Amino acid sequence: MRVMIDTNIIISAALFPNGFVSKALYKAMQPPFQPVISDYIVDEVHRKFQEKFPNKVTELEAFFYTALPAFSLIATSQNIKETESLIRDPKDRPILRAALEIGADLFLTGDKDFLDSSITDPRIISVKDFLAL
């Protein structure tokens, strides 16, 4: 089961390696799940850390060094999908596009724009609901 991991999940897991979100990410990295991340998300995580947590970039690099090999890393397509318009924030649309392109079964996020959307494919799931699976 392919699980697209959102930016906020990576940021929380990198900042709080023993936290609730990290537990969900660890679960997503175990069979039967196959974690997927897009190049857009990796770039966005780096940008967010530079802006908001510049003194934590070393922790991010350590996180990526250990965790990224477990992920399937995919390129984000430039081909806009009609479903993207269901996401309010245009910055989030390439993330949905990547999930659609690879046929993700689940999209793990804490982002209200995704969680409150009417998108059903892929299934958008919160950390709490994912841990309850």
Side-chain angles (χ1 to χ4, degrees):
M1 180 175 288
R2 297 180 106 181
V3 182
M4 175 66 84
I5 308 298
D6 197 8
T7 304
N8 57 68
I9 301 298
I10 299 296
I11 290 171
S12 292
L15 290 173
F16 307 103
N18 297 316
F20 190 63
V21 174
S22 291
K23 290 178 185 173
L25 181 60
Y26 182 73
K27 180 177 180 174
M29 295 168 72
Q30 306 301 312
F33 303 108
Q34 301 168 340
V36 180
I37 192 170
S38 73
D39 57 353
Y40 181 89
I41 291 172
V42 172
D43 291 344
E44 187 175 50
V45 168
H46 279 105
R47 272 193 317 275
K48 297 270 186 192
F49 263 76
Q50 290 295 336
E51 292 170 16
K52 297 181 178 187
F53 314 106
N55 60 331
K56 297 285 188 177
V57 171
T58 302
E59 286 87 341
L60 173 65
E61 294 306 326
F63 172 83
F64 272 142
Y65 180 78
T66 58
L68 205 53
F71 290 82
S72 294
L73 179 63
I74 62 159
T76 303
S77 170
Q78 298 300 317
N79 300 326
I80 295 172
K81 306 285 185 193
E82 186 176 321
T83 310
E84 290 179 46
S85 64
L86 297 173
I87 298 298
R88 182 189 60 82
D89 187 350
K91 293 178 187 170
D92 287 338
R93 292 176 183 172
I95 298 169
L96 176 61
R97 183 182 317 141
L100 293 167
E101 287 275 327
I102 59 101
D105 299 295
L106 299 173
F107 181 76
L108 181 60
T109 186
D111 187 326
K112 287 283 189 193
D113 285 338
F114 282 109
L115 293 168
D116 293 342
S117 74
S118 59
I119 296 168
T120 58
D121 185 27
R123 178 180 168 200
I124 298 173
I125 191 165
S126 69
V127 169
K128 179 182 175 186
D129 290 343
F130 183 72
L131 285 171
L133 286 180

